[in-house]
């Protein structure tokens, strides 16, 4: 059996042979063509008809394939912020420097694009070159060089990103599998005066001086467990695909998870989504920031102020999970107890902020799910009093009540100790009585009903 291209080529050669014979016979037989010549003529026209039909069928198949719509969906994301001094790279380390970073993707696709960020930069930032490739390991700067691709921006190999902005690369033809890893490597000639970063990467990044964006590995690199200047990776997928954005704090960011282990609760969710045919086209964009607040700027901008960039902007977003509030509640009396009226006022403001998030998300067609705040009595950082615990209970009661969110994810019920419901279950406690352990994150990710992402 021949492939369609082989069959067409074979038919073309037959057609050429028949044409030569047909013309030769006509030229030598005068006006009275011999019977076998006429037979050859009939064969010739049969072949012509067949090839016309074959060409038409091939054209229709190519047209059908090219007309299948494709959409962009976020397969990975991280919220940008100004890094604290201890989490920023020394400015000279980024002068004439190559930085290679590894990202764990959620949904796969036939092509991809990368968002280069200068969200908190104070001046334009010049990326002289950016490459993508498949890494050989999650804990090494080595890449598979056969997969290495140079990114372009409006057809050019370099890009200047204005301050406060990001730039999306042109599409690149690199098929990526679900739950695979991607290395993105860029070179800077001049360092940013202020970095745009995600300190809580729980993944190792590597950097060296000089331009080594296409190198198989980086020789004697420095390394750090933070991400820099990249906010999103999108993949091209079928039109029914979509992304879920998770707006959260350090429990979503993965404090207590395994470095390079990709075992945050959002990673568990992404893996489960791939296990069902109905949800295999759902990407997960983790927009958690350690220390983040609903109402005030802490580590990173408050949730309300970053909503447009971190929730509405990711490609293909259809769902939002809101898991914020513990830092607002815990921070109120961290340095000493406050009057009951202050507790009541804070709870009211937290609930009002939730309402704003839901209202803004609904205005853009998103379904919004509220996650209950997990227990933190015993935390050495917040040392909450019974009054603060009562605040948490009041907020969770509102989240669970009908008519506020489109659905509820009851993380509190998943990780609390049945004997001491104001505390984390010991097996689910990373040790600080505030953040879950990898086992706790696994339980959280497994507790989310995937039916909420059905369409």
């Amino acid at each position: 059996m021949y492939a369609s291209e082989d069959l067409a080529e074979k038919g073309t050669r037959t057609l050429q042979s028949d044409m030569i014979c047909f013309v030769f016979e006509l030229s030598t037989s005068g006006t009275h063509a011999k019977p076998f010549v006429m037979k050859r003529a009939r064969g010739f026209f049969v072949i012509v008809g067949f090839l016309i039909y074959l060409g038409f069928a091939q054209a229709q198949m190519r047209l059908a394939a090219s007309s299948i719509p494709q959409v962009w969906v976020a397969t990975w994301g991280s919220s940008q912020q100004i890094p604290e001094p201890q989490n920023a790279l020394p400015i000279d380390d980024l002068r004439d420097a190559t930085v290679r970073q590894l990202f764990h993707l959620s949904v796969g696709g036939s092509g991809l694009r990368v968002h280069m960020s200068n969200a908190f930069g104070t001046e334009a930032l010049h990326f002289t070159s950016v490459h993508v490739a498949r890494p050989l390991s999650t804990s090494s700067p080595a890449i598979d060089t056969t997969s290495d691709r140079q990114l372009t921006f409006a057809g050019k190999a370099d890009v200047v990103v204005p301050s406060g902005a990001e730039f999306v690369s042109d599409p690149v033809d690199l098929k990526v599998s679900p739950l695979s890893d991607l290395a993105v490597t860029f070179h800077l000639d001049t360092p940013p005066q202020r970095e745009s970063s995600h300190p809580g990467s729980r993944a190792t990044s590597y950097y060296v001086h000089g331009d080594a964006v296409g190198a198989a590995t980086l020789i004697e690199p420095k390394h750090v467990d933070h991400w820099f200047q990249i906010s999103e990776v999108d993949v091209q997928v079928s039109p029914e695909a979509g992304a879920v954005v998770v707006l959260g704090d350090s429990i979503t960011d993965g404090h207590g998870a395994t470095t390079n282990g990709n075992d945050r609760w959002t990673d568990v969710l992404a893996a489960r989504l791939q296990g069902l045919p109905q949800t295999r086209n759902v990407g997960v964009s983790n927009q958690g920031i350690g220390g983040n607040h609903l109402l005030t700027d802490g580590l990173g901008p408050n949730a309300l102020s970053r909503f447009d960039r971190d929730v509405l902007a990711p490609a293909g977003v259809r769902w939002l999970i809101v898991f914020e509030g513990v830092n607002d509640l815990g921070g109120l009396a961290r340095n000493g107890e406050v009057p009951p009226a202050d507790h009541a006022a804070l709870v009211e403001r937290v609930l009002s902020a939730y309402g704003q998030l839901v209202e803004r998300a609904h205005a853009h067609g998103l379904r919004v799910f509220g996650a209950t705040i997990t227990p933190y009595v015993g935390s050495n950082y917040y040392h909450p009093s019974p009054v603060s615990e009562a605040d948490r209970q009041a907020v969770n009661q509102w989240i669970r009540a009908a008519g506020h969110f489109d659905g509820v994810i009851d993380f509190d019920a998943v990780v609390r100790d049945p004997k001491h419901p104001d505390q984390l279950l010991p097996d689910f406690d990373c040790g600080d009585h505030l953040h879950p352990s990898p086992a706790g994150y696994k339980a959280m990710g497994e507790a989310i009903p995937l039916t909420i992402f059905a369409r």
Side-chain angles (χ1 to χ4, degrees):
M1 181 177 291
Y2 294 97
S4 58
E5 292 85 353
D6 296 335
L7 187 59
E9 183 179 354
K10 180 178 177 66
T12 301
R13 289 196 300 267
T14 303
L15 174 61
Q16 291 171 339
S17 174
D18 284 345
M19 287 178 66
I20 293 171
C21 291
F22 180 57
V23 171
F24 175 78
E25 295 295 342
L26 284 179
S27 65
T28 58
S29 61
T31 57
H32 301 285
K34 297 179 181 179
F36 79 91
V37 175
M38 299 305 295
K39 186 175 181 180
R40 296 285 292 186
R42 285 194 299 270
F44 165 74
F45 287 114
V46 168
I47 293 171
V48 169
F50 171 73
L51 289 179
I52 290 174
Y53 170 79
L54 180 62
F56 176 77
Q58 286 181 295
Q60 289 295 102
M61 291 173 63
R62 287 192 296 267
L63 179 62
S66 64
S67 64
I68 295 175
Q70 295 277 290
V71 298
W72 290 107
V73 165
T75 184
W76 172 89
S78 72
S79 301
Q80 300 298 289
Q81 65 181 89
I82 302 169
E84 312 92 287
Q86 70 271 22
N87 290 328
L89 290 179
I91 192 167
D92 284 337
D93 281 1
L94 287 176
R95 191 182 309 280
D96 181 26
T98 294
V99 180
R100 178 164 290 170
Q101 304 178 85
L102 308 183
F103 308 128
H104 188 62
L105 309 183
S106 54
V107 68
S110 58
L112 62 85
R113 65 185 186 184
V114 177
H115 296 234
M116 310 304 297
S117 178
N118 193 22
F120 292 94
T122 56
E123 53 197 37
L125 183 61
H126 182 211
F127 295 89
T128 65
S129 183
V130 186
H131 282 215
V132 294
R134 298 186 184 96
L136 297 183
S137 166
T138 59
S139 55
S140 161
I143 61 168
D144 173 8
T145 55
T146 64
S147 68
D148 183 61
R149 303 286 190 277
Q150 181 181 59
L151 294 184
T152 59
F153 303 84
K156 298 182 64 177
D158 69 328
V159 63
V160 177
V161 183
S163 61
E166 71 175 24
F167 229 89
V168 184
S169 76
D170 301 331
V172 64
D173 183 19
L174 179 64
K175 184 176 181 179
V176 291
S177 301
L179 308 178
S180 62
D181 298 299
L182 182 72
V184 181
T185 310
F186 63 76
H187 176 260
L188 298 173
D189 49 2
T190 303
Q193 293 301 307
R194 188 167 72 185
E195 297 161 12
S196 297
S197 169
H198 188 84
S201 65
R202 275 88 209 178
T204 304
S205 301
Y206 307 87
Y207 57 101
V208 296
H209 285 298
D211 188 345
V213 291
T217 192
L218 303 183
I219 306 302
E220 298 183 356
K222 295 181 179 180
H223 58 86
V224 64
D225 293 341
H226 310 310
W227 286 320
F228 299 91
Q229 312 295 158
I230 298 175
S231 60
E232 184 169 319
V233 178
D234 303 330
V235 290
Q236 266 188 321
V237 285
S238 55
E240 69 273 11
V244 52
V245 167
V246 183
L247 186 67
D249 48 44
S250 56
I251 301 177
T252 294
D253 204 19
H255 183 97
T258 308
T259 298
N260 299 320
N262 298 311
D263 54 7
R264 312 164 190 82
W265 70 262
T266 53
D267 297 320
V268 176
L269 171 60
R272 290 183 62 228
L273 288 167
Q274 289 302 312
L276 287 180
Q278 308 94 298
T279 56
R280 284 176 186 163
N281 54 11
V282 177
V284 178
S285 177
N286 184 327
Q287 299 293 332
I289 294 180
N292 200 230
H293 292 221
L294 278 166
L295 302 171
T296 58
D297 292 343
L299 300 181
N302 68 77
L304 287 171
S305 71
R306 66 188 181 97
F307 186 85
D308 287 0
R309 180 178 61 246
D310 291 350
V311 174
L312 300 181
V317 58
R318 294 190 180 185
W319 305 274
L320 168 63
I321 297 174
V322 177
F323 185 30
E324 288 255 19
V326 69
N327 293 315
D328 297 85
L329 299 181
L332 178 65
R334 179 171 176 257
N335 296 317
E337 193 50 88
V338 298
D342 290 354
H343 283 273
L346 176 64
V347 169
E348 184 177 347
R349 291 185 64 210
V350 166
L351 302 184
S352 177
Y354 286 150
Q356 284 290 301
L357 295 175
V358 172
E359 183 78 18
R360 292 167 67 181
H362 281 173
H364 291 268
L366 308 187
R367 296 194 70 206
V368 191
F369 306 101
T372 53
I373 298 174
T374 49
Y376 63 106
V377 162
S379 163
N380 294 325
Y381 186 75
Y382 284 132
H383 41 79
S385 68
V387 184
S388 292
E389 171 60 14
D391 294 343
R392 186 181 74 91
Q393 294 294 344
V395 169
N396 282 349
Q397 183 179 2
W398 188 92
I399 292 172
R400 293 186 182 107
H404 297 143
F405 289 97
D406 297 315
V408 178
I409 299 169
D410 202 345
F411 284 152
D412 172 41
V414 173
V415 299
R416 69 191 178 204
D417 186 342
K419 297 179 180 179
H420 306 282
D422 58 357
Q423 301 175 26
L424 291 171
L425 191 71
D427 287 347
F428 290 167
D429 189 342
C430 80
D432 66 4
H433 313 303
L434 172 62
H435 298 95
S437 63
Y441 286 133
K442 184 174 186 292
M444 291 168 66
E446 290 179 343
I448 300 171
L450 301 187
T451 54
I452 65 177
F453 305 111
R455 292 182 297 281

